[in-house]
């Protein structure tokens, strides 16, 4: 995965499907071939929701299929913009700017990737898991040079305080270090052979009753020092969850990348409306979340 922010394309994207889930959550699939070809886990699009809504809205890319030219987004309606987007039907067209932003960059020396997604922070984690899982599957094939392919061991933990935007089911993948009864998983990840577990303070069946970072803490505490030396954390979700992820990372002395959210006007680096304070080797500096991020080293932000 490339650390560079890459080229941003402007495409007239066609709606292929729009599926509705509980709590005004939607999964939108768009035909956007240029964006699909260049999207990376952590990158996002800035799209027009409807002709009646003047400003674009930023949404993370959850999946991208370069071969078939589609991208998938998961969003939860907040206000007028995403409400208008939820009314778009298959065949409608909307303007998409993307892919935007610096993606997550996993490190080969840390194959135990711990992916934490909270609420609408889930999408980039599904994307990252899919890409890491594909590498791991390639490593198992006889016809490829295994030495050149990293075998990742992703674990995805997700938290939500509204029903998850998929039908959770008990996992068949055994996962040491999980609290008793924490069995619910995301079926799509399970199909890809990637372990996942769910957390919610709402005590949904099979979910860990508490925050996703507490579940992560339980898993990290179960690891030995040589296993911990292979862990890297990737986190996307509300700011308190990102802060808790950074605290965990510090406690277990593992690296951590977080994806930040800020209000965005242009989303292409021109208006400086999305800046955050980041620690750089030259001291504190203001960085634009849209193009210098949205992914940052957690230790430089928190
Ligand atoms: C990089 C990035 C990725 C995101 N990915 C997702 C995602 O995958 N799924 C998802 O559901 N949401 C995501 N969001 C949040 C989403 O952009 C906002 O919830 C959305 O813009 C709200 O628009 P609205 O019209 O429904 O709400 P309104 O409240 O009517 O929006 C009013 C204005 O505020 C801005 N705004 C409101 N909330 C946010 C916010 N949290 N972040 C940035 N701008 C905001 C809108 O762009 C708009 O200009 C992401 C935000 C960022 C910055
Ligand atoms: S939103 Fe304009 S610089 Fe980031």
């Amino acid at each position: 995965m490339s650390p560079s922010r890459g080229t941003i394309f402007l495409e007239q994207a066609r709606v292929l499907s729009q599926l509705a889930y509980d709590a005004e959550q939607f999964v939108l699939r768009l035909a956007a071939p240029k964006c699909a070809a260049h999207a990376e886990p952590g990158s996002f699009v800035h799209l027009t929701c409807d002709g009646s809504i003047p400003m674009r809205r930023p949404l993370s890319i959850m999946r991208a299929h370069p071969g078939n030219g589609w991208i998938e987004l998961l969003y939860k309606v907040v206000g007028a913009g995403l409400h208008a987007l939820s009314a778009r039907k298959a065949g409608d067209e909307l303007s998409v700017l993307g892919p935007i932003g610096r993606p997550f960059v996993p490190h080969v020396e840390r194959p135990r990737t711990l992916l934490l997604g909270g609420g609408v922070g889930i999408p980039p984690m599904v994307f990252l898991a899919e890409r890491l899982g594909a590498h791991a599957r390639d490593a198992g094939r006889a016809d490829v040079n295994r030495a050149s392919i990293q075998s990742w061991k992703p674990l995805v933990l997700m938290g939500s305080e509204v029903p998850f935007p998929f039908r959770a089911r008990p996992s068949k993948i055994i996962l040491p270090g999980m609290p008793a009864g924490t069995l619910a998983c995301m079926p799509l990840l399970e199909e890809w052979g990637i372990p996942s577990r769910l957390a919610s303070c709402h005590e949904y069946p099979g979910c860990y009753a508490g925050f996703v970072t507490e579940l992560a803490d339980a898993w990290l505490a179960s690891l030995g020092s040589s296993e911990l030396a292979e862990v890297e954390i990737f986190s996307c979700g509300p700011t308190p969850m990102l802060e808790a992820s950074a605290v965990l990372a510090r406690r277990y002395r593992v690296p951590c990348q977080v994806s930040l959210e800020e209000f965005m006007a242009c989303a292409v680096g021109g208006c400086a409306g999305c800046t955050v304070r980041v620690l750089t080797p030259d001291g504190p500096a203001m960085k634009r979340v849209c193009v210098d991020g949205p992914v940052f080293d957690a230790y430089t932000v928190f």
Side-chain angles (χ1 to χ4, degrees):
M1 273 158 248
S2 140
S4 107
R5 63 191 191 210
T7 306
I8 300 169
F9 300 93
L10 178 62
E11 288 186 276
Q12 203 56 21
R14 190 164 36 87
V15 176
L16 296 175
S17 60
Q18 167 121 268
L19 302 178
Y21 292 88
D22 282 348
E24 288 198 287
Q25 299 174 93
F26 294 85
V27 172
L28 176 66
R29 187 177 281 195
L30 297 171
K34 288 183 190 152
C35 186
H38 295 88
E40 304 234 35
S43 55
F44 67 97
V45 293
H46 205 37
L47 51 73
T48 54
C49 297
D50 185 83
S52 62
I53 305 286
M55 294 201 36
R56 290 170 183 266
R57 301 292 192 264
L59 292 176
S60 302
I61 299 169
M62 179 163 76
R63 294 185 66 196
H65 196 299
N68 293 344
W70 54 253
I71 58 168
E72 226 170 61
L73 315 169
L74 162 67
Y75 65 91
K76 178 168 179 6
V77 171
V78 174
L82 296 185
H83 179 71
L85 185 64
S86 70
R88 308 305 295 268
K89 301 272 181 288
D92 286 357
E93 289 202 340
L94 40 98
S95 170
V96 169
L97 258 182
I100 307 173
R102 290 180 191 273
F104 289 105
V105 182
H107 294 97
V108 289
E109 66 278 18
R110 296 212 170 239
R112 284 178 204 274
T113 48
L114 175 58
L115 279 50
L116 306 180
V120 294
I122 287 173
M125 295 307 147
V126 173
F127 196 178
L128 182 55
E130 183 172 22
R131 289 284 162 96
L132 295 174
H135 277 264
R137 282 190 293 279
D138 283 349
R141 278 170 43 197
D143 58 331
V144 293
N145 176 4
R146 282 176 215 187
S148 68
I149 290 179
Q150 173 68 26
S151 189
W152 301 99
K153 299 168 196 155
L155 165 62
V156 186
L157 303 179
M158 299 174 176
S160 182
E161 300 315 320
V162 294
F164 285 89
F166 49 81
R167 194 180 290 274
R169 68 164 192 238
S171 173
K172 295 199 172 96
I173 302 176
I174 293 167
L175 191 56
M178 284 293 108
T182 307
L183 287 171
C185 73
M186 182 189 198
L188 184 65
L189 294 173
E190 188 97 348
E191 267 172 40
W192 297 335
I194 297 171
S196 64
R197 292 294 187 271
L198 310 179
S200 176
C201 296
H202 281 76
E203 303 192 14
Y204 297 132
C207 296
Y208 173 76
F211 290 125
V212 65
T213 43
E214 294 166 357
L215 184 57
D217 192 1
W219 181 74
L220 288 163
S222 75
L223 300 181
S225 56
S226 59
E227 292 166 318
L228 272 178
E230 291 185 347
V231 171
E232 180 161 23
I233 301 177
F234 300 85
S235 186
C236 185
T239 305
M241 181 195 137
L242 300 184
E243 284 189 68
S245 306
V247 168
L248 265 188
R250 277 212 169 83
R251 183 162 356 119
Y252 288 96
R253 297 176 190 208
V254 298
C256 178
Q257 297 173 37
V258 291
S259 180
L260 303 185
E261 260 192 33
E262 262 305 323
F263 291 93
M264 289 183 182
C266 74
V268 290
C271 71
C274 64
T275 50
V276 289
R277 193 168 177 274
V278 174
L279 202 59
T280 72
D282 302 323
M286 297 309 285
K287 295 280 178 193
R288 296 159 302 180
V289 170
C290 61
V291 290
D292 300 320
V295 175
F296 292 92
D297 176 344
Y299 293 111
T300 68
V301 200
F302 297 112

